[in-house]
mmCIF file of all heavy atoms in Angstrom:
data_model
loop_
_atom_site.group_PDB
_atom_site.id
_atom_site.type_symbol
_atom_site.label_atom_id
_atom_site.label_comp_id
_atom_site.label_asym_id
_atom_site.label_seq_id
_atom_site.Cartn_x
_atom_site.Cartn_y
_atom_site.Cartn_z
ATOM 1 N N LEU A 1 -145.796 106.880 -25.371
ATOM 2 C CA LEU A 1 -146.777 106.063 -24.736
ATOM 3 C C LEU A 1 -146.078 105.238 -23.544
ATOM 4 O O LEU A 1 -146.695 104.899 -22.555
ATOM 5 C CB LEU A 1 -147.377 105.125 -25.741
ATOM 6 C CG LEU A 1 -148.498 104.176 -25.334
ATOM 7 C CD1 LEU A 1 -149.667 104.970 -24.667
ATOM 8 C CD2 LEU A 1 -148.974 103.256 -26.455
ATOM 9 N N LEU A 2 -144.882 104.778 -23.914
ATOM 10 C CA LEU A 2 -144.184 104.063 -22.730
ATOM 11 C C LEU A 2 -143.688 104.955 -21.603
ATOM 12 O O LEU A 2 -143.298 104.461 -20.651
ATOM 13 C CB LEU A 2 -142.855 103.342 -23.425
ATOM 14 C CG LEU A 2 -143.189 102.251 -24.461
ATOM 15 C CD1 LEU A 2 -141.832 101.724 -24.893
ATOM 16 C CD2 LEU A 2 -144.059 101.165 -23.902
ATOM 17 N N GLY A 3 -143.884 106.228 -21.815
ATOM 18 C CA GLY A 3 -143.305 107.128 -20.772
ATOM 19 C C GLY A 3 -141.820 107.357 -20.684
ATOM 20 O O GLY A 3 -141.282 107.660 -19.684
ATOM 21 N N LEU A 4 -141.197 107.178 -21.859
ATOM 22 C CA LEU A 4 -139.822 107.296 -21.853
ATOM 23 C C LEU A 4 -139.361 108.735 -22.375
ATOM 24 O O LEU A 4 -139.984 109.175 -23.330
ATOM 25 C CB LEU A 4 -139.142 106.263 -22.751
ATOM 26 C CG LEU A 4 -139.369 104.766 -22.394
ATOM 27 C CD1 LEU A 4 -138.658 103.821 -23.292
ATOM 28 C CD2 LEU A 4 -138.859 104.563 -20.938
ATOM 29 N N GLY A 5 -138.325 109.295 -21.787
ATOM 30 C CA GLY A 5 -137.974 110.682 -22.187
ATOM 31 C C GLY A 5 -136.836 110.579 -23.129
ATOM 32 O O GLY A 5 -136.379 109.509 -23.661
ATOM 33 N N LEU A 6 -136.401 111.775 -23.631
ATOM 34 C CA LEU A 6 -135.401 111.861 -24.641
ATOM 35 C C LEU A 6 -134.036 111.355 -24.097
ATOM 36 O O LEU A 6 -133.188 110.872 -24.929
ATOM 37 C CB LEU A 6 -135.275 113.273 -25.186
ATOM 38 C CG LEU A 6 -136.391 113.858 -25.870
ATOM 39 C CD1 LEU A 6 -136.166 115.351 -26.220
ATOM 40 C CD2 LEU A 6 -136.725 113.086 -27.089
ATOM 41 N N ASN A 7 -133.737 111.424 -22.816
ATOM 42 C CA ASN A 7 -132.499 110.998 -22.285
ATOM 43 C C ASN A 7 -132.464 109.508 -21.969
ATOM 44 O O ASN A 7 -131.351 109.008 -21.477
ATOM 45 C CB ASN A 7 -132.185 111.814 -21.031
ATOM 46 C CG ASN A 7 -133.261 111.540 -19.970
ATOM 47 O OD1 ASN A 7 -134.343 111.221 -20.328
ATOM 48 N ND2 ASN A 7 -132.943 111.908 -18.671
ATOM 49 N N GLN A 8 -133.501 108.734 -22.264
ATOM 50 C CA GLN A 8 -133.521 107.321 -22.061
ATOM 51 C C GLN A 8 -133.108 106.603 -23.318
ATOM 52 O O GLN A 8 -133.129 107.183 -24.436
ATOM 53 C CB GLN A 8 -134.859 106.845 -21.521
ATOM 54 C CG GLN A 8 -135.148 107.555 -20.188
ATOM 55 C CD GLN A 8 -136.474 107.150 -19.594
ATOM 56 O OE1 GLN A 8 -137.509 107.588 -20.266
ATOM 57 N NE2 GLN A 8 -136.550 106.306 -18.568
ATOM 58 N N ALA A 9 -132.799 105.318 -23.194
ATOM 59 C CA ALA A 9 -132.301 104.543 -24.284
ATOM 60 C C ALA A 9 -133.412 104.392 -25.286
ATOM 61 O O ALA A 9 -134.573 104.273 -25.057
ATOM 62 C CB ALA A 9 -131.931 103.139 -23.801
ATOM 63 N N GLU A 10 -132.903 104.258 -26.561
ATOM 64 C CA GLU A 10 -133.896 104.087 -27.639
ATOM 65 C C GLU A 10 -134.511 102.663 -27.568
ATOM 66 O O GLU A 10 -133.878 101.666 -27.372
ATOM 67 C CB GLU A 10 -133.121 104.290 -28.989
ATOM 68 C CG GLU A 10 -134.089 104.165 -30.257
ATOM 69 C CD GLU A 10 -133.304 104.365 -31.466
ATOM 70 O OE1 GLU A 10 -132.050 104.681 -31.370
ATOM 71 O OE2 GLU A 10 -133.939 104.189 -32.553
ATOM 72 N N VAL A 11 -135.806 102.634 -27.812
ATOM 73 C CA VAL A 11 -136.578 101.409 -27.811
ATOM 74 C C VAL A 11 -136.238 100.599 -29.110
ATOM 75 O O VAL A 11 -136.436 101.043 -30.220
ATOM 76 C CB VAL A 11 -137.928 101.609 -27.668
ATOM 77 C CG1 VAL A 11 -138.711 100.233 -27.612
ATOM 78 C CG2 VAL A 11 -138.257 102.336 -26.321
ATOM 79 N N LYS A 12 -135.860 99.196 -28.941
ATOM 80 C CA LYS A 12 -135.683 98.417 -30.078
ATOM 81 C C LYS A 12 -136.676 97.322 -30.058
ATOM 82 O O LYS A 12 -136.727 96.623 -28.970
ATOM 83 C CB LYS A 12 -134.209 97.841 -30.038
ATOM 84 C CG LYS A 12 -133.137 98.876 -30.127
ATOM 85 C CD LYS A 12 -131.687 98.234 -30.222
ATOM 86 C CE LYS A 12 -130.636 99.269 -30.446
ATOM 87 N NZ LYS A 12 -129.269 98.695 -30.471
ATOM 88 N N LEU A 13 -137.431 97.182 -31.053
ATOM 89 C CA LEU A 13 -138.455 96.130 -31.107
ATOM 90 C C LEU A 13 -137.899 94.821 -31.534
ATOM 91 O O LEU A 13 -137.143 94.664 -32.406
ATOM 92 C CB LEU A 13 -139.587 96.569 -32.160
ATOM 93 C CG LEU A 13 -140.133 98.013 -31.986
ATOM 94 C CD1 LEU A 13 -141.312 98.220 -32.985
ATOM 95 C CD2 LEU A 13 -140.582 98.231 -30.541
ATOM 96 N N VAL A 14 -138.317 93.720 -30.679
ATOM 97 C CA VAL A 14 -137.782 92.451 -30.831
ATOM 98 C C VAL A 14 -138.821 91.501 -31.564
ATOM 99 O O VAL A 14 -138.445 90.833 -32.512
ATOM 100 C CB VAL A 14 -137.227 91.941 -29.501
ATOM 101 C CG1 VAL A 14 -136.797 90.436 -29.638
ATOM 102 C CG2 VAL A 14 -136.331 92.747 -28.958
ATOM 103 N N ASP A 15 -139.970 91.518 -31.069
ATOM 104 C CA ASP A 15 -141.000 90.622 -31.657
ATOM 105 C C ASP A 15 -141.479 91.006 -32.984
ATOM 106 O O ASP A 15 -141.746 92.186 -33.274
ATOM 107 C CB ASP A 15 -142.245 90.701 -30.696
ATOM 108 C CG ASP A 15 -141.967 90.075 -29.307
ATOM 109 O OD1 ASP A 15 -141.007 89.354 -29.248
ATOM 110 O OD2 ASP A 15 -142.749 90.276 -28.462
ATOM 111 N N ALA A 16 -141.469 90.064 -33.891
ATOM 112 C CA ALA A 16 -141.821 90.301 -35.303
ATOM 113 C C ALA A 16 -143.323 90.294 -35.436
ATOM 114 O O ALA A 16 -144.075 89.811 -34.556
ATOM 115 C CB ALA A 16 -141.096 89.280 -36.219
ATOM 116 N N LEU A 17 -143.711 90.740 -36.554
ATOM 117 C CA LEU A 17 -145.169 90.600 -36.849
ATOM 118 C C LEU A 17 -145.580 89.110 -37.069
ATOM 119 O O LEU A 17 -144.756 88.322 -37.464
ATOM 120 C CB LEU A 17 -145.529 91.318 -38.208
ATOM 121 C CG LEU A 17 -145.403 92.934 -38.165
ATOM 122 C CD1 LEU A 17 -145.610 93.521 -39.496
ATOM 123 C CD2 LEU A 17 -146.442 93.469 -37.221
ATOM 124 N N PRO A 18 -146.886 88.841 -36.733
ATOM 125 C CA PRO A 18 -147.138 87.383 -36.913
ATOM 126 C C PRO A 18 -147.183 86.886 -38.338
ATOM 127 O O PRO A 18 -147.499 87.627 -39.236
ATOM 128 C CB PRO A 18 -148.696 87.229 -36.340
ATOM 129 C CG PRO A 18 -149.124 88.789 -36.499
ATOM 130 C CD PRO A 18 -147.905 89.596 -36.235
ATOM 131 N N SER A 19 -146.615 85.723 -38.495
ATOM 132 C CA SER A 19 -146.405 85.107 -39.808
ATOM 133 C C SER A 19 -147.433 84.002 -40.121
ATOM 134 O O SER A 19 -147.466 83.438 -41.171
ATOM 135 C CB SER A 19 -145.016 84.572 -40.072
ATOM 136 O OG SER A 19 -144.718 83.655 -39.120
ATOM 137 N N ALA A 20 -148.225 83.573 -39.116
ATOM 138 C CA ALA A 20 -149.240 82.539 -39.156
ATOM 139 C C ALA A 20 -150.324 82.952 -38.266
ATOM 140 O O ALA A 20 -150.092 83.602 -37.209
ATOM 141 C CB ALA A 20 -148.593 81.202 -38.779
ATOM 142 N N ALA A 21 -151.566 82.504 -38.643
ATOM 143 C CA ALA A 21 -152.738 82.771 -37.865
ATOM 144 C C ALA A 21 -153.103 81.645 -37.015
ATOM 145 O O ALA A 21 -153.075 80.547 -37.453
ATOM 146 C CB ALA A 21 -153.981 83.135 -38.829
ATOM 147 N N GLU A 22 -153.313 81.843 -35.747
ATOM 148 C CA GLU A 22 -153.822 80.855 -34.786
ATOM 149 C C GLU A 22 -155.389 80.931 -34.646
ATOM 150 O O GLU A 22 -155.920 82.075 -34.552
ATOM 151 C CB GLU A 22 -153.137 81.075 -33.477
ATOM 152 C CG GLU A 22 -151.574 80.898 -33.387
ATOM 153 C CD GLU A 22 -151.175 79.444 -33.779
ATOM 154 O OE1 GLU A 22 -151.988 78.569 -33.465
ATOM 155 O OE2 GLU A 22 -150.073 79.262 -34.162
ATOM 156 N N PRO A 23 -156.007 79.733 -34.607
ATOM 157 C CA PRO A 23 -157.444 79.845 -34.494
ATOM 158 C C PRO A 23 -157.930 80.304 -32.981
ATOM 159 O O PRO A 23 -157.120 80.170 -32.090
ATOM 160 C CB PRO A 23 -157.755 78.333 -34.637
ATOM 161 C CG PRO A 23 -156.680 77.530 -34.343
ATOM 162 C CD PRO A 23 -155.470 78.516 -34.728
ATOM 163 N N VAL A 24 -158.991 80.903 -32.976
ATOM 164 C CA VAL A 24 -159.601 81.472 -31.742
ATOM 165 C C VAL A 24 -160.854 80.715 -31.458
ATOM 166 O O VAL A 24 -161.390 80.064 -32.254
ATOM 167 C CB VAL A 24 -159.769 82.964 -31.867
ATOM 168 C CG1 VAL A 24 -158.558 83.696 -32.068
ATOM 169 C CG2 VAL A 24 -160.832 83.308 -32.975
ATOM 170 N N ALA A 25 -161.205 80.896 -30.179
ATOM 171 C CA ALA A 25 -162.476 80.123 -29.754
ATOM 172 C C ALA A 25 -163.733 80.791 -30.438
ATOM 173 O O ALA A 25 -163.793 81.788 -30.998
ATOM 174 C CB ALA A 25 -162.621 80.206 -28.225
ATOM 175 N N ASP A 26 -164.792 80.057 -30.173
ATOM 176 C CA ASP A 26 -166.112 80.515 -30.833
ATOM 177 C C ASP A 26 -166.575 81.679 -29.951
ATOM 178 O O ASP A 26 -166.143 82.046 -28.900
ATOM 179 C CB ASP A 26 -167.130 79.412 -30.824
ATOM 180 C CG ASP A 26 -167.316 78.918 -29.418
ATOM 181 O OD1 ASP A 26 -166.550 77.966 -28.990
ATOM 182 O OD2 ASP A 26 -168.276 79.282 -28.741
ATOM 183 N N ASP A 27 -167.603 82.389 -30.522
ATOM 184 C CA ASP A 27 -168.161 83.565 -29.792
ATOM 185 C C ASP A 27 -168.765 83.372 -28.526
ATOM 186 O O ASP A 27 -168.469 84.186 -27.587
ATOM 187 C CB ASP A 27 -169.204 84.268 -30.789
ATOM 188 C CG ASP A 27 -168.559 84.889 -32.040
ATOM 189 O OD1 ASP A 27 -167.288 84.965 -32.136
ATOM 190 O OD2 ASP A 27 -169.399 85.377 -32.846
ATOM 191 N N LYS A 28 -169.349 82.263 -28.366
ATOM 192 C CA LYS A 28 -169.979 81.906 -27.044
ATOM 193 C C LYS A 28 -168.905 81.742 -25.956
ATOM 194 O O LYS A 28 -169.108 82.341 -24.825
ATOM 195 C CB LYS A 28 -170.843 80.648 -27.251
ATOM 196 C CG LYS A 28 -171.575 80.243 -25.888
ATOM 197 C CD LYS A 28 -172.401 78.972 -26.088
ATOM 198 C CE LYS A 28 -173.075 78.585 -24.734
ATOM 199 N NZ LYS A 28 -173.767 77.367 -24.884
ATOM 200 N N THR A 29 -167.945 81.012 -26.251
ATOM 201 C CA THR A 29 -166.809 80.837 -25.308
ATOM 202 C C THR A 29 -166.177 82.201 -24.903
ATOM 203 O O THR A 29 -165.819 82.405 -23.755
ATOM 204 C CB THR A 29 -165.822 79.819 -25.818
ATOM 205 O OG1 THR A 29 -166.390 78.616 -26.141
ATOM 206 C CG2 THR A 29 -164.742 79.570 -24.763
ATOM 207 N N LEU A 30 -165.828 82.967 -25.947
ATOM 208 C CA LEU A 30 -165.303 84.290 -25.720
ATOM 209 C C LEU A 30 -166.075 85.212 -24.912
ATOM 210 O O LEU A 30 -165.623 85.968 -24.054
ATOM 211 C CB LEU A 30 -164.956 84.897 -27.031
ATOM 212 C CG LEU A 30 -163.878 84.247 -27.877
ATOM 213 C CD1 LEU A 30 -163.595 84.924 -29.298
ATOM 214 C CD2 LEU A 30 -162.487 84.310 -27.204
ATOM 215 N N VAL A 31 -167.431 85.210 -25.211
ATOM 216 C CA VAL A 31 -168.377 86.079 -24.473
ATOM 217 C C VAL A 31 -168.422 85.622 -22.985
ATOM 218 O O VAL A 31 -168.469 86.401 -22.063
ATOM 219 C CB VAL A 31 -169.715 86.080 -25.098
ATOM 220 C CG1 VAL A 31 -170.812 86.671 -24.152
ATOM 221 C CG2 VAL A 31 -169.686 86.721 -26.381
ATOM 222 N N GLU A 32 -168.528 84.348 -22.783
ATOM 223 C CA GLU A 32 -168.550 83.734 -21.447
ATOM 224 C C GLU A 32 -167.254 84.129 -20.684
ATOM 225 O O GLU A 32 -167.345 84.561 -19.516
ATOM 226 C CB GLU A 32 -168.717 82.254 -21.387
ATOM 227 C CG GLU A 32 -170.053 81.898 -21.938
ATOM 228 C CD GLU A 32 -170.207 80.349 -21.990
ATOM 229 O OE1 GLU A 32 -169.176 79.679 -21.835
ATOM 230 O OE2 GLU A 32 -171.335 79.818 -22.184
ATOM 231 N N LEU A 33 -166.147 84.110 -21.248
ATOM 232 C CA LEU A 33 -164.895 84.451 -20.714
ATOM 233 C C LEU A 33 -164.845 85.936 -20.384
ATOM 234 O O LEU A 33 -164.492 86.322 -19.217
ATOM 235 C CB LEU A 33 -163.707 84.255 -21.640
ATOM 236 C CG LEU A 33 -162.344 84.586 -21.156
ATOM 237 C CD1 LEU A 33 -161.966 83.951 -19.882
ATOM 238 C CD2 LEU A 33 -161.294 84.377 -22.228
ATOM 239 N N ALA A 34 -165.334 86.732 -21.284
ATOM 240 C CA ALA A 34 -165.402 88.261 -21.047
ATOM 241 C C ALA A 34 -166.249 88.559 -19.877
ATOM 242 O O ALA A 34 -165.903 89.400 -19.047
ATOM 243 C CB ALA A 34 -165.814 88.877 -22.329
ATOM 244 N N LEU A 35 -167.501 87.990 -19.773
ATOM 245 C CA LEU A 35 -168.456 88.279 -18.701
ATOM 246 C C LEU A 35 -167.787 87.853 -17.345
ATOM 247 O O LEU A 35 -168.243 88.336 -16.375
ATOM 248 C CB LEU A 35 -169.782 87.657 -18.985
ATOM 249 C CG LEU A 35 -170.535 88.152 -20.228
ATOM 250 C CD1 LEU A 35 -171.824 87.427 -20.310
ATOM 251 C CD2 LEU A 35 -170.651 89.654 -20.096
ATOM 252 N N LYS A 36 -166.890 86.781 -17.451
ATOM 253 C CA LYS A 36 -166.389 86.300 -16.173
ATOM 254 C C LYS A 36 -165.171 87.116 -15.718
ATOM 255 O O LYS A 36 -164.881 87.189 -14.506
ATOM 256 C CB LYS A 36 -165.978 84.796 -16.441
ATOM 257 C CG LYS A 36 -165.499 84.085 -15.084
ATOM 258 C CD LYS A 36 -165.043 82.731 -15.493
ATOM 259 C CE LYS A 36 -166.076 81.906 -16.132
ATOM 260 N NZ LYS A 36 -165.625 80.531 -16.434
ATOM 261 N N THR A 37 -164.355 87.582 -16.612
ATOM 262 C CA THR A 37 -163.027 88.137 -16.306
ATOM 263 C C THR A 37 -163.015 89.688 -16.465
ATOM 264 O O THR A 37 -162.070 90.340 -15.957
ATOM 265 C CB THR A 37 -161.973 87.514 -17.191
ATOM 266 O OG1 THR A 37 -162.228 87.877 -18.496
ATOM 267 C CG2 THR A 37 -161.896 86.017 -16.881
ATOM 268 N N ARG A 38 -163.876 90.288 -17.289
ATOM 269 C CA ARG A 38 -163.703 91.692 -17.446
ATOM 270 C C ARG A 38 -163.934 92.423 -16.102
ATOM 271 O O ARG A 38 -164.999 92.264 -15.402
ATOM 272 C CB ARG A 38 -164.630 92.191 -18.502
ATOM 273 C CG ARG A 38 -164.141 91.950 -19.851
ATOM 274 C CD ARG A 38 -164.829 92.626 -20.929
ATOM 275 N NE ARG A 38 -165.040 94.105 -20.766
ATOM 276 C CZ ARG A 38 -165.234 94.853 -21.753
ATOM 277 N NH1 ARG A 38 -165.178 94.464 -23.043
ATOM 278 N NH2 ARG A 38 -165.445 96.064 -21.620
ATOM 279 N N LEU A 39 -163.012 93.320 -15.806
ATOM 280 C CA LEU A 39 -163.101 93.986 -14.506
ATOM 281 C C LEU A 39 -164.052 95.140 -14.506
ATOM 282 O O LEU A 39 -164.691 95.405 -13.328
ATOM 283 C CB LEU A 39 -161.631 94.599 -14.146
ATOM 284 C CG LEU A 39 -160.579 93.529 -14.082
ATOM 285 C CD1 LEU A 39 -159.182 94.219 -13.830
ATOM 286 C CD2 LEU A 39 -160.848 92.547 -13.090
ATOM 287 N N ASP A 40 -164.437 95.720 -15.566
ATOM 288 C CA ASP A 40 -165.468 96.772 -15.611
ATOM 289 C C ASP A 40 -166.828 96.141 -15.401
ATOM 290 O O ASP A 40 -167.687 96.701 -14.799
ATOM 291 C CB ASP A 40 -165.460 97.553 -17.041
ATOM 292 C CG ASP A 40 -165.603 96.616 -18.197
ATOM 293 O OD1 ASP A 40 -165.309 95.365 -17.945
ATOM 294 O OD2 ASP A 40 -165.776 97.123 -19.235
ATOM 295 N N VAL A 41 -167.053 94.816 -15.741
ATOM 296 C CA VAL A 41 -168.231 94.123 -15.485
ATOM 297 C C VAL A 41 -168.414 93.912 -13.942
ATOM 298 O O VAL A 41 -169.466 94.167 -13.246
ATOM 299 C CB VAL A 41 -168.446 92.821 -16.212
ATOM 300 C CG1 VAL A 41 -169.690 91.999 -15.779
ATOM 301 C CG2 VAL A 41 -168.423 93.101 -17.690
ATOM 302 N N ARG A 42 -167.210 93.485 -13.363
ATOM 303 C CA ARG A 42 -167.285 93.227 -11.907
ATOM 304 C C ARG A 42 -167.450 94.582 -11.123
ATOM 305 O O ARG A 42 -168.135 94.693 -10.140
ATOM 306 C CB ARG A 42 -165.907 92.590 -11.481
ATOM 307 C CG ARG A 42 -165.750 91.174 -11.987
ATOM 308 C CD ARG A 42 -164.363 90.707 -11.637
ATOM 309 N NE ARG A 42 -164.089 90.788 -10.305
ATOM 310 C CZ ARG A 42 -162.845 90.514 -9.793
ATOM 311 N NH1 ARG A 42 -161.885 90.147 -10.538
ATOM 312 N NH2 ARG A 42 -162.527 90.660 -8.434
ATOM 313 N N ALA A 43 -166.771 95.673 -11.630
ATOM 314 C CA ALA A 43 -166.979 96.984 -11.047
ATOM 315 C C ALA A 43 -168.452 97.443 -11.139
ATOM 316 O O ALA A 43 -168.945 97.950 -10.133
ATOM 317 C CB ALA A 43 -166.093 97.977 -11.623
ATOM 318 N N ALA A 44 -169.038 97.202 -12.223
ATOM 319 C CA ALA A 44 -170.503 97.591 -12.407
ATOM 320 C C ALA A 44 -171.384 96.866 -11.415
ATOM 321 O O ALA A 44 -172.360 97.315 -10.877
ATOM 322 C CB ALA A 44 -170.928 97.475 -13.782
ATOM 323 N N SER A 45 -171.071 95.522 -11.258
ATOM 324 C CA SER A 45 -171.802 94.748 -10.357
ATOM 325 C C SER A 45 -171.627 95.268 -8.907
ATOM 326 O O SER A 45 -172.554 95.343 -8.110
ATOM 327 C CB SER A 45 -171.403 93.254 -10.417
ATOM 328 O OG SER A 45 -172.087 92.444 -9.473
ATOM 329 N N LEU A 46 -170.385 95.612 -8.504
ATOM 330 C CA LEU A 46 -170.183 96.142 -7.226
ATOM 331 C C LEU A 46 -170.974 97.499 -7.010
ATOM 332 O O LEU A 46 -171.417 97.830 -5.912
ATOM 333 C CB LEU A 46 -168.718 96.410 -6.984
ATOM 334 C CG LEU A 46 -167.803 95.175 -6.638
ATOM 335 C CD1 LEU A 46 -166.506 95.548 -6.418
ATOM 336 C CD2 LEU A 46 -168.363 94.585 -5.195
ATOM 337 N N GLU A 47 -171.109 98.272 -8.072
ATOM 338 C CA GLU A 47 -171.703 99.604 -7.953
ATOM 339 C C GLU A 47 -173.245 99.310 -7.692
ATOM 340 O O GLU A 47 -173.906 100.133 -6.934
ATOM 341 C CB GLU A 47 -171.563 100.346 -9.276
ATOM 342 C CG GLU A 47 -170.233 100.958 -9.518
ATOM 343 C CD GLU A 47 -170.245 101.751 -10.860
ATOM 344 O OE1 GLU A 47 -171.224 101.701 -11.480
ATOM 345 O OE2 GLU A 47 -169.175 102.268 -11.048
#
């Protein structure tokens, strides 16, 4: 998926799995953000 071949260096993962949960915004805020920032929505509007 990274596009690395066999002759390239082996990938070493550094970031660990999350050990604590962070709160997220409410649905209304997330939907407003998505409608404002999603590029497929902008592309459809341009179409």
